[in-house]
Amino acid sequence: MTPLLRYLLVTKSIRSNTSVTKKVSIRAFLFGRITVLRSGCRVSLRFVDDGQRVYDFLSEDILIQCPYCNSYAIASKREEQSYRFQCRFCGPLTPPRRPGSEATFKGFELWLKAPVRGKMLWAYNQKHLDFLERYIRATLRERIPYINQSLASRLPDWIKSAKHRGQLIQGIIKLRAKLY
Protein backbone atom coordinates (compact mmCIF):
# COMPACT_ATOMS: atom_id res chain seq x y z
CA MET A 1 0.00 0.00 0.00
CA THR A 2 1.38 3.38 -0.96
CA PRO A 3 1.30 6.20 1.59
CA LEU A 4 -1.37 8.86 1.26
CA LEU A 5 1.16 11.62 0.99
CA ARG A 6 3.84 11.38 -1.69
CA TYR A 7 6.44 13.99 -2.23
CA LEU A 8 7.60 14.76 -5.73
CA LEU A 9 10.09 17.24 -7.02
CA VAL A 10 9.34 18.21 -10.58
CA THR A 11 11.74 20.29 -12.58
CA LYS A 12 10.42 21.97 -15.68
CA SER A 13 12.17 24.02 -18.22
CA ILE A 14 10.31 27.14 -19.22
CA ARG A 15 11.39 29.38 -22.04
CA SER A 16 10.94 33.08 -21.47
CA ASN A 17 10.42 35.70 -24.16
CA THR A 18 14.18 36.27 -24.41
CA SER A 19 14.78 32.57 -25.21
CA VAL A 20 16.58 32.04 -21.93
CA THR A 21 15.77 28.74 -20.33
CA LYS A 22 14.87 28.92 -16.67
CA LYS A 23 14.57 25.94 -14.41
CA VAL A 24 11.60 26.13 -12.13
CA SER A 25 11.20 23.68 -9.26
CA ILE A 26 7.67 22.76 -8.37
CA ARG A 27 7.05 20.74 -5.27
CA ALA A 28 3.93 18.66 -5.53
CA PHE A 29 2.03 16.73 -2.90
CA LEU A 30 -0.44 14.13 -4.10
CA PHE A 31 -3.62 13.51 -2.12
CA GLY A 32 -5.59 10.91 -4.04
CA ARG A 33 -6.82 12.76 -7.11
CA ILE A 34 -6.04 16.26 -5.81
CA THR A 35 -2.59 17.62 -6.47
CA VAL A 36 -1.18 20.48 -4.44
CA LEU A 37 1.33 22.46 -6.49
CA ARG A 38 3.72 24.86 -4.76
CA SER A 39 5.50 27.33 -6.96
CA GLY A 40 7.10 30.04 -4.88
CA CYS A 41 4.53 30.88 -2.20
CA ARG A 42 1.35 30.27 -4.23
CA VAL A 43 -0.56 27.07 -3.52
CA SER A 44 -3.15 25.66 -5.87
CA LEU A 45 -5.22 22.51 -5.54
CA ARG A 46 -5.87 20.65 -8.77
CA PHE A 47 -8.93 18.50 -9.43
CA VAL A 48 -8.83 16.19 -12.46
CA ASP A 49 -12.23 14.90 -13.60
CA ASP A 50 -12.02 11.16 -14.11
CA GLY A 51 -15.53 10.82 -15.53
CA GLN A 52 -17.28 9.55 -12.39
CA ARG A 53 -21.05 9.74 -12.61
CA VAL A 54 -23.55 10.12 -9.78
CA TYR A 55 -24.62 6.49 -10.35
CA ASP A 56 -21.13 5.32 -9.38
CA PHE A 57 -21.88 6.37 -5.80
CA LEU A 58 -25.11 4.36 -5.64
CA SER A 59 -23.30 1.02 -5.60
CA GLU A 60 -22.30 1.53 -1.95
CA ASP A 61 -24.56 1.97 1.08
CA ILE A 62 -26.56 5.20 1.08
CA LEU A 63 -27.12 7.05 4.34
CA ILE A 64 -30.77 8.01 4.82
CA GLN A 65 -32.79 9.41 7.73
CA CYS A 66 -35.23 7.12 9.50
CA PRO A 67 -38.72 8.68 9.35
CA TYR A 68 -39.65 7.21 12.76
CA CYS A 69 -36.70 7.93 15.09
CA ASN A 70 -34.80 10.52 12.99
CA SER A 71 -31.49 8.67 13.36
CA TYR A 72 -29.52 7.48 10.38
CA ALA A 73 -30.49 4.38 8.43
CA ILE A 74 -28.80 2.55 5.56
CA ALA A 75 -30.09 1.79 2.08
CA SER A 76 -28.19 -1.26 0.81
CA LYS A 77 -28.30 -2.34 -2.82
CA ARG A 78 -29.61 -5.88 -3.26
CA GLU A 79 -30.20 -6.33 -6.96
CA GLU A 80 -30.10 -4.14 -10.06
CA GLN A 81 -32.73 -1.57 -8.98
CA SER A 82 -33.73 -2.98 -5.59
CA TYR A 83 -32.66 -1.58 -2.21
CA ARG A 84 -33.06 -2.78 1.36
CA PHE A 85 -33.76 -0.04 3.93
CA GLN A 86 -32.62 -0.74 7.49
CA CYS A 87 -32.61 1.50 10.58
CA ARG A 88 -30.21 0.56 13.35
CA PHE A 89 -32.96 1.09 15.99
CA CYS A 90 -36.28 0.49 14.18
CA GLY A 91 -35.25 -2.40 11.93
CA PRO A 92 -36.43 -2.81 8.32
CA LEU A 93 -38.16 0.20 6.74
CA THR A 94 -40.66 0.43 3.91
CA PRO A 95 -40.28 3.30 1.43
CA PRO A 96 -42.78 6.12 1.98
CA ARG A 97 -45.29 6.92 -0.74
CA ARG A 98 -44.78 10.69 -0.59
CA PRO A 99 -42.83 12.63 -3.19
CA GLY A 100 -39.46 13.80 -2.00
CA SER A 101 -37.51 17.01 -2.22
CA GLU A 102 -34.14 17.32 -3.95
CA ALA A 103 -32.31 15.75 -0.97
CA THR A 104 -34.16 12.42 -0.96
CA PHE A 105 -33.50 8.87 -2.08
CA LYS A 106 -36.48 6.64 -2.91
CA GLY A 107 -38.71 8.84 -0.71
CA PHE A 108 -36.37 8.90 2.32
CA GLU A 109 -34.60 12.08 3.38
CA LEU A 110 -30.82 11.86 3.01
CA TRP A 111 -28.77 11.86 6.20
CA LEU A 112 -25.94 13.94 4.75
CA LYS A 113 -27.56 17.27 3.93
CA ALA A 114 -26.91 20.82 5.08
CA PRO A 115 -28.27 24.22 4.00
CA VAL A 116 -25.66 26.42 2.30
CA ARG A 117 -26.55 29.85 0.86
CA GLY A 118 -30.28 29.03 0.89
CA LYS A 119 -29.75 25.84 -1.10
CA MET A 120 -29.24 22.24 0.01
CA LEU A 121 -25.81 20.60 -0.11
CA TRP A 122 -26.24 16.84 0.04
CA ALA A 123 -24.31 13.61 -0.47
CA TYR A 124 -25.31 9.95 -0.70
CA ASN A 125 -22.42 8.53 1.33
CA GLN A 126 -18.86 9.23 2.44
CA LYS A 127 -17.42 8.47 -0.99
CA HIS A 128 -19.76 11.02 -2.60
CA LEU A 129 -18.87 13.55 0.11
CA ASP A 130 -15.14 12.98 -0.54
CA PHE A 131 -15.71 13.70 -4.24
CA LEU A 132 -17.57 16.92 -3.50
CA GLU A 133 -14.91 18.06 -1.05
CA ARG A 134 -12.11 17.41 -3.54
CA TYR A 135 -14.00 19.37 -6.19
CA ILE A 136 -14.91 22.31 -3.95
CA ARG A 137 -11.45 22.70 -2.39
CA ALA A 138 -9.70 22.66 -5.78
CA THR A 139 -8.62 26.00 -7.24
CA LEU A 140 -7.77 24.42 -10.59
CA ARG A 141 -10.42 22.12 -12.06
CA GLU A 142 -9.70 20.10 -15.18
CA ARG A 143 -12.50 18.39 -17.07
CA ILE A 144 -12.43 15.70 -19.69
CA PRO A 145 -13.29 17.47 -22.95
CA TYR A 146 -16.55 16.56 -24.70
CA ILE A 147 -17.78 14.47 -21.76
CA ASN A 148 -21.03 15.82 -20.34
CA GLN A 149 -22.06 12.79 -18.31
CA SER A 150 -19.60 13.19 -15.44
CA LEU A 151 -20.74 14.44 -12.06
CA ALA A 152 -18.27 17.33 -12.17
CA SER A 153 -19.91 18.65 -15.35
CA ARG A 154 -23.41 18.31 -13.87
CA LEU A 155 -22.85 20.16 -10.58
CA PRO A 156 -24.92 23.34 -10.15
CA ASP A 157 -23.29 26.72 -10.71
CA TRP A 158 -23.51 27.75 -7.05
CA ILE A 159 -21.25 24.80 -6.14
CA LYS A 160 -18.85 25.52 -9.00
CA SER A 161 -18.49 29.19 -8.07
CA ALA A 162 -15.23 30.08 -6.30
CA LYS A 163 -16.86 32.87 -4.27
CA HIS A 164 -18.95 30.32 -2.34
CA ARG A 165 -15.99 28.02 -1.57
CA GLY A 166 -15.66 29.04 2.11
CA GLN A 167 -19.33 28.51 2.88
CA LEU A 168 -19.40 25.21 1.00
CA ILE A 169 -16.39 23.94 2.95
CA GLN A 170 -18.16 24.87 6.19
CA GLY A 171 -21.17 22.86 4.97
CA ILE A 172 -18.93 19.88 4.21
CA ILE A 173 -17.44 20.11 7.71
CA LYS A 174 -20.99 19.94 9.13
CA LEU A 175 -21.71 16.87 6.98
CA ARG A 176 -18.47 15.20 8.10
CA ALA A 177 -19.50 15.76 11.73
CA LYS A 178 -22.73 13.82 11.03
CA LEU A 179 -20.68 10.83 9.87
CA TYR A 180 -19.00 10.32 13.24
Side-chain angles (χ1 to χ4, degrees), residues 4 12 31 45 56 60-61 72 75-76 81-82 88 91 100 103 112 115 146 153 155-157 162 168 172 178-179:
L4 273 169
K12 285 191 171 182
F31 297 96
L45 295 171
D56 297 337
E60 293 192 11
D61 290 345
Y72 78 89
S76 304
Q81 293 291 325
S82 176
R88 62 184 179 154
L112 297 175
Y146 309 113
S153 70
L155 288 173
D157 290 337
L168 286 166
I172 285 179
K178 289 180 91 172
L179 283 174

Side-chain angles (χ1 to χ4, degrees), residues 3-180:
L4 273 169
L5 180 64
R6 295 182 217 153
Y7 178 80
L8 295 174
L9 180 62
V10 178
T11 304
K12 285 191 171 182
S13 296
I14 299 176
R15 292 196 177 256
S16 66
N17 292 339
T18 59
S19 298
V20 178
T21 303
K22 296 179 182 177
K23 288 203 170 182
V24 178
S25 295
I26 301 171
R27 293 180 182 177
F29 296 91
L30 295 179
F31 297 96
R33 292 185 190 119
I34 289 188
T35 307
V36 180
L37 299 175
R38 290 181 186 254
S39 177
C41 62
R42 184 169 173 236
V43 176
S44 68
L45 295 171
R46 187 169 129 200
F47 174 86
V48 180
D49 186 8
D50 58 358
Q52 278 187 304
R53 300 179 310 161
V54 71
Y55 305 111
D56 297 337
F57 300 107
L58 297 179
S59 61
E60 293 192 11
D61 290 345
I62 297 164
L63 301 174
I64 56 175
Q65 185 174 347
C66 177
Y68 304 110
C69 66
N70 290 329
S71 70
Y72 78 89
I74 295 175
S76 304
K77 192 167 188 173
R78 289 192 301 190
E79 297 168 10
E80 189 64 31
Q81 293 291 325
S82 176
Y83 285 88
R84 179 175 169 239
F85 305 102
Q86 180 84 24
C87 176
R88 62 184 179 154
F89 298 116
C90 303
L93 301 172
T94 57
R97 300 235 182 248
R98 59 184 163 89
S101 63
E102 66 175 317
T104 60
F105 178 75
K106 305 275 186 187
F108 290 102
E109 294 287 324
L110 289 174
W111 180 251
L112 297 175
K113 63 179 181 175
V116 176
R117 295 194 50 82
K119 305 213 174 22
M120 193 61 68
L121 177 66
W122 55 270
Y124 286 127
N125 49 32
Q126 184 173 358
K127 207 173 179 182
H128 188 201
L129 187 62
D130 291 341
F131 176 88
L132 290 173
E133 184 175 14
R134 283 194 324 265
Y135 184 85
I136 290 168
R137 286 190 185 270
T139 55
L140 176 64
R141 299 172 182 154
E142 296 179 10
R143 281 193 46 214
I144 303 170
Y146 309 113
I147 301 284
N148 200 18
Q149 294 293 322
S150 70
L151 179 58
S153 70
R154 296 294 183 158
L155 288 173
D157 290 337
W158 66 275
I159 291 180
K160 293 179 181 180
S161 176
K163 66 182 178 182
H164 303 144
R165 184 174 291 134
Q167 294 166 338
L168 286 166
I169 289 172
Q170 288 176 351
I172 285 179
I173 290 170
K174 288 178 189 174
L175 295 180
R176 288 235 181 259
K178 289 180 91 172
L179 283 174
Y180 303 109

